[in-house]
Amino acid sequence: MKILILGGTRFLGRFLTESALKRGHKVTLFNRGKENPELFPEVEKLTGDRGGDLSALEKGEWDAVIDTCGFVPRVVRESAKLLAGRAGHYTFISSASVYDELESPGIGEHHPVGQMSLPDAEEMTKGKTNRPNNEYYGELKFLCEQEVEQQFPRRCLIVRPGLIVGPYDFTGRFSYWINRVAKGGKVLAPGRKDKRIQFIDVRDLAEWIIGMVEQQNSGIFNAAGPESPLTMEAFLDECKRALKSDAEFVWVDEAFLLENGIGYWMELPLWIPDSEQMEGFLSLNIDKALETGLTFRPLSETIRDTREWELRHQALERKAGLDDDKEQAVLGEWKARKANT
């Protein structure tokens, strides 16, 4: 197949490109040429900017397009409309953040989504080509989905991943725990041990998406993992085992964490307190994806591979994670409270 990937050199796009090439497809990349331009010297590279210069996409035909970097409805509309007559199939990487009413687990693809009007979105994102505001990230992603469906009716695949993890993840949301457990000692563990969490290895996601593209599958699919429910305790225990760590987990009450100014999700990744009533966000129903071939490598492999990549890139700044001094201060406060009760 001839596959056009919008993006293709940073995280998910990087592994989509690798997977497609490994499976014998001809890949074209369209991006600004600023992120890892030395990658994939064997593929055709088109340089442009989705927000203002699509001229490199005005010629050419492809069996499939994979859009990894669409966040603004207007921008997605322009590229999808330009390609609609010259591409057979369009895959849009959306997000589980589109969902609303997150109180209950088992959210399926027909669950209610967050809504905002297209005129409001146009006004809010005027002049913007990338992520305009995380506050409305999910609502904008859903509008992007609709733009794709309008230009590629019955021939588009909408993928709604949860947290994507693994090597080349620069956010630090998953790798915080890998690095912290590897360091050992007393580790602050948040809230309930049995709280469900979900994430998907970027390589498993990429392999599944390329397989779906090969079959020209259409529709909306949640994409998260693992196949069986995973708790925070089981995840941390597997980190300890896989990394041969001496870490000792100190489980701290959620209310105490909030009282002490610990921020959830970004400061303490994978933790969303019960008080936020968002259990559904980390317990998506993935039956549709499983039925179409989504599979998962062992969790220990994801942990070890992520740690190896982190060790090679220690100088890079991470956006997520709890400061060491703050963690130890909160653990000290927690110990004192426990001693007085």
Side-chain angles (χ1 to χ4, degrees), residues 247-265:
E248 178 185 345
F249 302 115
V250 181
W251 293 89
V252 179
D253 179 78
E254 290 188 340
F256 184 85
L257 293 176
L258 295 173
E259 288 169 12
N260 283 271
I262 301 295
Y264 63 87
W265 192 248

mmCIF file of all heavy atoms in Angstrom, residues 247-265:
data_model
loop_
_atom_site.group_PDB
_atom_site.id
_atom_site.type_symbol
_atom_site.label_atom_id
_atom_site.label_comp_id
_atom_site.label_asym_id
_atom_site.label_seq_id
_atom_site.Cartn_x
_atom_site.Cartn_y
_atom_site.Cartn_z
ATOM 1 N N ALA A 247 12.209 -1.085 45.970
ATOM 2 C CA ALA A 247 11.212 -0.069 46.319
ATOM 3 C C ALA A 247 10.229 -0.591 47.374
ATOM 4 O O ALA A 247 9.840 -1.769 47.349
ATOM 5 C CB ALA A 247 10.454 0.367 45.077
ATOM 6 N N GLU A 248 9.845 0.304 48.275
ATOM 7 C CA GLU A 248 8.829 -0.003 49.287
ATOM 8 C C GLU A 248 7.688 0.996 49.106
ATOM 9 O O GLU A 248 7.877 2.204 49.257
ATOM 10 C CB GLU A 248 9.410 0.128 50.690
ATOM 11 C CG GLU A 248 8.400 -0.129 51.795
ATOM 12 C CD GLU A 248 8.973 0.131 53.178
ATOM 13 O OE1 GLU A 248 10.216 0.230 53.299
ATOM 14 O OE2 GLU A 248 8.178 0.244 54.128
ATOM 15 N N PHE A 249 6.514 0.499 48.742
ATOM 16 C CA PHE A 249 5.400 1.386 48.416
ATOM 17 C C PHE A 249 4.656 1.800 49.684
ATOM 18 O O PHE A 249 4.252 0.953 50.492
ATOM 19 C CB PHE A 249 4.454 0.705 47.428
ATOM 20 C CG PHE A 249 5.140 0.305 46.149
ATOM 21 C CD1 PHE A 249 5.270 -1.030 45.797
ATOM 22 C CD2 PHE A 249 5.692 1.264 45.325
ATOM 23 C CE1 PHE A 249 5.919 -1.404 44.635
ATOM 24 C CE2 PHE A 249 6.354 0.909 44.154
ATOM 25 C CZ PHE A 249 6.469 -0.429 43.810
ATOM 26 N N VAL A 250 4.500 3.098 49.834
ATOM 27 C CA VAL A 250 3.764 3.667 50.957
ATOM 28 C C VAL A 250 2.462 4.233 50.399
ATOM 29 O O VAL A 250 2.467 5.260 49.707
ATOM 30 C CB VAL A 250 4.571 4.776 51.657
ATOM 31 C CG1 VAL A 250 3.777 5.334 52.840
ATOM 32 C CG2 VAL A 250 5.929 4.254 52.104
ATOM 33 N N TRP A 251 1.356 3.558 50.700
ATOM 34 C CA TRP A 251 0.068 3.954 50.136
ATOM 35 C C TRP A 251 -0.536 5.069 50.983
ATOM 36 O O TRP A 251 -0.799 4.906 52.164
ATOM 37 C CB TRP A 251 -0.872 2.751 50.061
ATOM 38 C CG TRP A 251 -0.375 1.746 49.064
ATOM 39 C CD1 TRP A 251 0.485 0.717 49.292
ATOM 40 C CD2 TRP A 251 -0.663 1.723 47.664
ATOM 41 N NE1 TRP A 251 0.752 0.042 48.123
ATOM 42 C CE2 TRP A 251 0.054 0.639 47.105
ATOM 43 C CE3 TRP A 251 -1.462 2.506 46.829
ATOM 44 C CZ2 TRP A 251 -0.012 0.318 45.763
ATOM 45 C CZ3 TRP A 251 -1.531 2.187 45.482
ATOM 46 C CH2 TRP A 251 -0.816 1.113 44.961
ATOM 47 N N VAL A 252 -0.745 6.211 50.333
ATOM 48 C CA VAL A 252 -1.179 7.420 51.027
ATOM 49 C C VAL A 252 -2.610 7.763 50.630
ATOM 50 O O VAL A 252 -2.963 7.741 49.442
ATOM 51 C CB VAL A 252 -0.238 8.605 50.706
ATOM 52 C CG1 VAL A 252 -0.693 9.870 51.413
ATOM 53 C CG2 VAL A 252 1.195 8.255 51.100
ATOM 54 N N ASP A 253 -3.405 8.093 51.613
ATOM 55 C CA ASP A 253 -4.807 8.433 51.420
ATOM 56 C C ASP A 253 -4.977 9.599 50.433
ATOM 57 O O ASP A 253 -4.233 10.578 50.477
ATOM 58 C CB ASP A 253 -5.412 8.809 52.776
ATOM 59 C CG ASP A 253 -6.865 9.194 52.683
ATOM 60 O OD1 ASP A 253 -7.704 8.295 52.576
ATOM 61 O OD2 ASP A 253 -7.145 10.416 52.703
ATOM 62 N N GLU A 254 -5.987 9.482 49.550
ATOM 63 C CA GLU A 254 -6.186 10.504 48.521
ATOM 64 C C GLU A 254 -6.497 11.872 49.120
ATOM 65 O O GLU A 254 -5.983 12.900 48.637
ATOM 66 C CB GLU A 254 -7.315 10.079 47.585
ATOM 67 C CG GLU A 254 -6.952 8.905 46.707
ATOM 68 C CD GLU A 254 -8.004 8.617 45.657
ATOM 69 O OE1 GLU A 254 -9.166 9.051 45.820
ATOM 70 O OE2 GLU A 254 -7.670 7.953 44.656
ATOM 71 N N ALA A 255 -7.336 11.910 50.122
ATOM 72 C CA ALA A 255 -7.675 13.199 50.733
ATOM 73 C C ALA A 255 -6.432 13.875 51.294
ATOM 74 O O ALA A 255 -6.262 15.100 51.177
ATOM 75 C CB ALA A 255 -8.727 12.998 51.831
ATOM 76 N N PHE A 256 -5.545 13.087 51.887
ATOM 77 C CA PHE A 256 -4.305 13.637 52.438
ATOM 78 C C PHE A 256 -3.433 14.206 51.314
ATOM 79 O O PHE A 256 -2.821 15.273 51.470
ATOM 80 C CB PHE A 256 -3.551 12.553 53.200
ATOM 81 C CG PHE A 256 -2.308 13.023 53.879
ATOM 82 C CD1 PHE A 256 -2.363 13.595 55.139
ATOM 83 C CD2 PHE A 256 -1.068 12.909 53.257
ATOM 84 C CE1 PHE A 256 -1.212 14.050 55.761
ATOM 85 C CE2 PHE A 256 0.089 13.351 53.869
ATOM 86 C CZ PHE A 256 0.013 13.925 55.134
ATOM 87 N N LEU A 257 -3.371 13.500 50.183
ATOM 88 C CA LEU A 257 -2.580 13.994 49.053
ATOM 89 C C LEU A 257 -3.112 15.330 48.554
ATOM 90 O O LEU A 257 -2.340 16.263 48.288
ATOM 91 C CB LEU A 257 -2.595 12.965 47.919
ATOM 92 C CG LEU A 257 -1.886 11.639 48.188
ATOM 93 C CD1 LEU A 257 -2.078 10.690 47.017
ATOM 94 C CD2 LEU A 257 -0.398 11.854 48.461
ATOM 95 N N LEU A 258 -4.422 15.436 48.434
ATOM 96 C CA LEU A 258 -5.018 16.674 47.959
ATOM 97 C C LEU A 258 -4.808 17.806 48.961
ATOM 98 O O LEU A 258 -4.532 18.951 48.577
ATOM 99 C CB LEU A 258 -6.507 16.461 47.680
ATOM 100 C CG LEU A 258 -6.826 15.483 46.540
ATOM 101 C CD1 LEU A 258 -8.317 15.206 46.465
ATOM 102 C CD2 LEU A 258 -6.317 16.012 45.202
ATOM 103 N N GLU A 259 -4.923 17.491 50.248
ATOM 104 C CA GLU A 259 -4.691 18.499 51.292
ATOM 105 C C GLU A 259 -3.267 19.051 51.222
ATOM 106 O O GLU A 259 -3.019 20.216 51.553
ATOM 107 C CB GLU A 259 -4.910 17.886 52.680
ATOM 108 C CG GLU A 259 -6.352 17.585 53.038
ATOM 109 C CD GLU A 259 -6.441 16.742 54.301
ATOM 110 O OE1 GLU A 259 -5.404 16.597 54.988
ATOM 111 O OE2 GLU A 259 -7.527 16.221 54.587
ATOM 112 N N ASN A 260 -2.343 18.208 50.789
ATOM 113 C CA ASN A 260 -0.928 18.599 50.741
ATOM 114 C C ASN A 260 -0.488 19.071 49.357
ATOM 115 O O ASN A 260 0.714 19.142 49.061
ATOM 116 C CB ASN A 260 -0.053 17.452 51.223
ATOM 117 C CG ASN A 260 -0.063 17.310 52.734
ATOM 118 O OD1 ASN A 260 0.743 17.914 53.426
ATOM 119 N ND2 ASN A 260 -1.016 16.531 53.248
ATOM 120 N N GLY A 261 -1.470 19.390 48.530
ATOM 121 C CA GLY A 261 -1.163 20.027 47.253
ATOM 122 C C GLY A 261 -0.556 19.130 46.202
ATOM 123 O O GLY A 261 0.152 19.611 45.307
ATOM 124 N N ILE A 262 -0.836 17.828 46.260
ATOM 125 C CA ILE A 262 -0.341 16.911 45.231
ATOM 126 C C ILE A 262 -1.325 16.916 44.069
ATOM 127 O O ILE A 262 -2.506 16.588 44.230
ATOM 128 C CB ILE A 262 -0.186 15.476 45.774
ATOM 129 C CG1 ILE A 262 0.793 15.464 46.956
ATOM 130 C CG2 ILE A 262 0.284 14.541 44.661
ATOM 131 C CD1 ILE A 262 2.203 15.835 46.594
ATOM 132 N N GLY A 263 -0.841 17.282 42.905
ATOM 133 C CA GLY A 263 -1.694 17.323 41.720
ATOM 134 C C GLY A 263 -1.811 15.959 41.074
ATOM 135 O O GLY A 263 -0.828 15.231 40.940
ATOM 136 N N TYR A 264 -3.024 15.617 40.678
ATOM 137 C CA TYR A 264 -3.220 14.312 40.046
ATOM 138 C C TYR A 264 -2.947 14.372 38.541
ATOM 139 O O TYR A 264 -2.935 15.424 37.928
ATOM 140 C CB TYR A 264 -4.623 13.767 40.329
ATOM 141 C CG TYR A 264 -5.774 14.578 39.780
ATOM 142 C CD1 TYR A 264 -6.242 14.373 38.490
ATOM 143 C CD2 TYR A 264 -6.411 15.543 40.561
ATOM 144 C CE1 TYR A 264 -7.302 15.098 37.984
ATOM 145 C CE2 TYR A 264 -7.479 16.274 40.068
ATOM 146 C CZ TYR A 264 -7.921 16.048 38.777
ATOM 147 O OH TYR A 264 -8.975 16.773 38.283
ATOM 148 N N TRP A 265 -2.698 13.208 37.979
ATOM 149 C CA TRP A 265 -2.479 12.928 36.552
ATOM 150 C C TRP A 265 -1.120 13.408 36.053
ATOM 151 O O TRP A 265 -0.323 12.618 35.576
ATOM 152 C CB TRP A 265 -3.603 13.490 35.669
ATOM 153 C CG TRP A 265 -3.528 12.967 34.260
ATOM 154 C CD1 TRP A 265 -3.234 13.668 33.123
ATOM 155 C CD2 TRP A 265 -3.715 11.610 33.836
ATOM 156 N NE1 TRP A 265 -3.246 12.836 32.023
ATOM 157 C CE2 TRP A 265 -3.540 11.576 32.433
ATOM 158 C CE3 TRP A 265 -4.025 10.426 34.521
ATOM 159 C CZ2 TRP A 265 -3.665 10.397 31.697
ATOM 160 C CZ3 TRP A 265 -4.141 9.250 33.774
ATOM 161 C CH2 TRP A 265 -3.963 9.252 32.389
#
